[in-house]
Amino acid sequence: MKHNFNNQNSLIQSGINLFYTNDGSVGLYNPEIDDIFHSVYGAREEAETKFIRPLNFSKNFSSKDKIRVLDICYGIGYNTKALLKRLIQANYKGKISIDILEYNKELVLLSPFINDTYFNKYPEISYILLYNLCTCLNDENFELNDYINNRSLRKFISPFYRSFNKKYKQVTYTRKPKIKQKAFLHNIYYHCISQRHKIPVKHFKFNKIKIKPYFDDARITVKALKVQYDIIFLDAFTPTKLPTLWSLQFFKELYRLINDDGMLVTYSNSAAVRHAMIDAGFCVGKVLDNTGRNSGTVAAKRIELIENKLSDYDIGLLETSAGIYYLDENLEKPAKKILDEHLNRKKHLNLKSSTQYKKDYLQIMEKNNNG
Ligand SMILES: C[S@@+](CC[C@H](N)C(=O)[O-])C[C@H]1O[C@@H](n2cnc3c(N)ncnc32)[C@H](O)[C@@H]1O
């Protein structure tokens, strides 16, 4: 599908387009790979229904003293933000650490400022991000201030921050130009918590939340990680467009990194993805939306964590050509090579197509029903 987004609304460095989704939150579109980052129906809504609801937080996580999260493909952070909202709502008292994997630094730095519609009710979410980002940044090579005050981008910034240029000038921090971005975030953070939003911030213990960004190819970061996670979000681009984070080998790494009672959640319900997860060792189930339709996949080491098991139909689909997964032996192949090799394997294996499988399956069902 071709999208007709306005080029003027592009991010300065990466050329990614911004637009408003139907729930009033900002979404992104990558013209280079012709893929949207967020559903046009609602970026915020999508994170809450596809990534947070399947966790069943009150049952599976609320009693833990500490929750470790791996947010793969953070983008502008909707999944992390939606989780923070859930933690605030649940009045969660334990510690949280969130490792965010995203190779586009521009997006991560902009994430506290983007109009995600959380700010009015949950300003803490933005402050938590600011607080954590300003403690881990060094010498960034772009001016955040330019984005917030850029004419075509301003409309995508939270209304509260749009007026911040003037306020920022009043609190200008002039020590070392090298640490300007850090100082900028720092200033905003302290300005915010010391002025308008004292009350909500007081109720939430910031020092219990640690967010650490890794600005690299997630495959490189994942290989180097040693800790185990309770929650893993996987929000990579569509597998058929960018298969790098959907290979069997990548899921094997995630299996190594997940706790025995941890959960991995993704929006994808591709048979190739589910098959790779299963062969990597995971128990796999589906996420159903309000209308009972497939809207993603959950994977865990323990079957008890899987609420909606795969049906016989879903399991059969894994053995068709649609269930042939991507291979990336050393986790370093270019996307094109992974796709080409995948196509060759498909041709070579010559399995039943998913369309034929569906037809045959319906026929068998009909026969069984009739007799
Ligand atoms: C579909 S978007 C995710 C949207 C995101 N969760 C959000 O809330 O904005 C995919 C993101 O993954 C990032 N990405 C894609 N491949 C990556 C890789 N190999 N390593 C790290 N980040 C990657 C892209 O820059 C993009 O921000």
Side-chain angles (χ1 to χ4, degrees):
M1 179 174 41
K2 280 272 168 239
H3 300 273
N4 194 16
F5 296 115
N6 183 350
N7 271 344
Q8 298 214 312
N9 295 338
S10 291
L11 286 178
I12 298 162
Q13 287 198 345
S14 39
I16 290 168
N17 291 130
L18 293 91
F19 64 99
Y20 269 101
T21 68
N22 290 353
D23 68 7
S25 59
V26 169
L28 305 177
Y29 164 67
N30 185 335
E32 206 180 307
I33 56 168
D34 185 26
D35 203 5
I36 47 172
F37 286 53
H38 309 101
S39 156
V40 289
Y41 299 108
R44 187 206 62 230
E45 178 82 21
E46 187 182 33
E48 293 182 358
T49 57
K50 294 190 178 169
F51 287 85
I52 306 304
R53 211 173 49 197
L55 294 175
N56 203 342
F57 183 83
S58 46
K59 178 167 165 248
N60 297 325
F61 298 100
S62 60
S63 60
K64 287 183 184 290
D65 299 340
K66 175 158 191 186
I67 302 175
R68 295 197 79 116
V69 183
L70 182 65
D71 184 354
I72 307 175
C73 294
Y74 173 88
I76 43 176
Y78 279 103
N79 301 330
T80 284
K81 290 171 180 181
L83 179 68
L84 290 173
K85 174 187 159 187
R86 186 70 190 88
L87 296 167
I88 295 168
Q89 282 177 331
N91 199 13
Y92 178 73
K93 296 272 191 270
K95 289 188 177 166
I96 306 277
S97 78
I98 308 180
D99 288 341
I100 62 184
L101 274 49
E102 171 58 62
Y103 56 28
N104 189 330
K105 221 179 218 184
E106 192 180 24
L107 298 180
V108 178
L109 294 182
L110 268 179
S111 65
F113 305 104
I114 290 285
N115 191 3
D116 49 35
T117 70
Y118 282 129
F119 196 86
N120 280 347
K121 209 160 171 207
Y122 301 99
E124 303 90 324
I125 294 176
S126 170
Y127 301 161
I128 290 164
L129 294 175
L130 283 172
Y131 173 79
N132 279 278
L133 291 178
C134 72
T135 52
C136 66
L137 290 181
N138 287 314
D139 49 342
E140 308 317 322
N141 62 354
F142 61 86
E143 294 276 348
L144 267 173
N145 213 4
D146 290 349
Y147 289 74
I148 295 175
N149 294 295
N150 177 298
R151 266 219 262 151
S152 56
L153 296 180
R154 264 175 75 82
K155 57 179 178 285
F156 301 109
I157 299 293
S158 267
F160 174 68
Y161 292 118
R162 279 182 216 161
S163 60
F164 210 82
N165 191 23
K166 285 185 210 130
K167 289 180 193 158
Y168 171 58
K169 278 190 176 143
Q170 287 163 22
V171 286
T172 304
Y173 184 99
T174 51
R175 268 179 42 206
K176 293 182 194 157
K178 210 179 135 201
I179 54 166
K180 223 168 162 188
Q181 277 345 304
K182 192 170 168 141
F184 180 68
L185 292 173
H186 204 264
N187 276 337
I188 295 184
Y189 169 69
Y190 280 103
H191 186 75
C192 293
I193 59 164
S194 63
Q195 305 283 313
R196 237 183 74 178
H197 292 286
K198 261 185 183 160
I199 296 159
V201 168
K202 265 190 187 160
H203 293 298
F204 205 68
K205 294 260 178 292
F206 276 27
N207 55 4
K208 289 202 167 180
I209 303 181
K210 289 216 164 19
I211 298 180
K212 186 169 177 200
Y214 291 84
F215 298 117
D216 210 337
D217 183 331
R219 293 179 294 179
I220 295 176
T221 312
V222 148
K223 277 202 271 188
L225 289 171
K226 298 270 183 296
V227 291
Q228 298 234 296
Y229 296 90
D230 303 293
I231 296 172
I232 300 181
F233 296 133
L234 177 57
D235 198 4
F237 287 122
T238 314
T240 48
K241 294 190 176 177
L242 201 63
T244 35
L245 304 182
W246 303 103
S247 68
L248 171 70
Q249 290 74 15
F250 193 68
F251 284 117
K252 282 187 176 169
E253 288 295 328
L254 300 188
Y255 189 81
R256 175 181 66 79
L257 288 174
I258 201 160
N259 261 333
D260 286 347
D261 52 2
M263 280 174 92
L264 183 162
V265 192
T266 179
Y267 70 88
S268 172
N269 45 43
S270 135
V273 165
R274 289 176 173 170
H275 200 170
M277 287 171 163
I278 292 172
D279 281 8
F282 282 105
C283 304
V284 171
K286 45 193 176 183
V287 175
L288 301 176
D289 68 12
N290 286 339
T291 63
R293 284 219 321 252
N294 236 326
S295 70
T297 302
V298 286
K301 283 185 174 166
R302 281 183 32 224
I303 188 79
E304 303 82 58
L305 287 164
I306 305 294
E307 208 167 302
N308 303 298
K309 312 266 180 312
L310 296 184
S311 64
D312 288 346
Y313 173 82
D314 299 321
I315 293 169
L317 197 59
L318 307 182
E319 302 306 327
T320 70
S321 136
I324 299 173
Y325 45 68
Y326 302 97
L327 295 176
D328 181 13
E329 285 76 8
N330 298 314
L331 290 173
E332 56 190 20
K333 283 184 196 162
K336 175 143 185 351
K337 190 164 179 3
I338 301 177
L339 285 172
D340 288 348
E341 289 178 358
H342 180 250
L343 192 65
N344 282 341
R345 264 199 329 282
K346 266 190 167 177
K347 281 185 193 151
H348 177 73
L349 289 168
N350 197 21
L351 298 180
K352 188 187 272 193
S353 74
S354 54
T355 324
Q356 188 57 48
Y357 167 76
K358 194 171 178 180
K359 269 191 203 155
D360 295 350
Y361 188 87
L362 288 175
Q363 248 177 21
I364 295 171
M365 293 298 282
E366 222 172 80
K367 256 195 205 158
N368 288 349
N369 286 343
N370 293 337

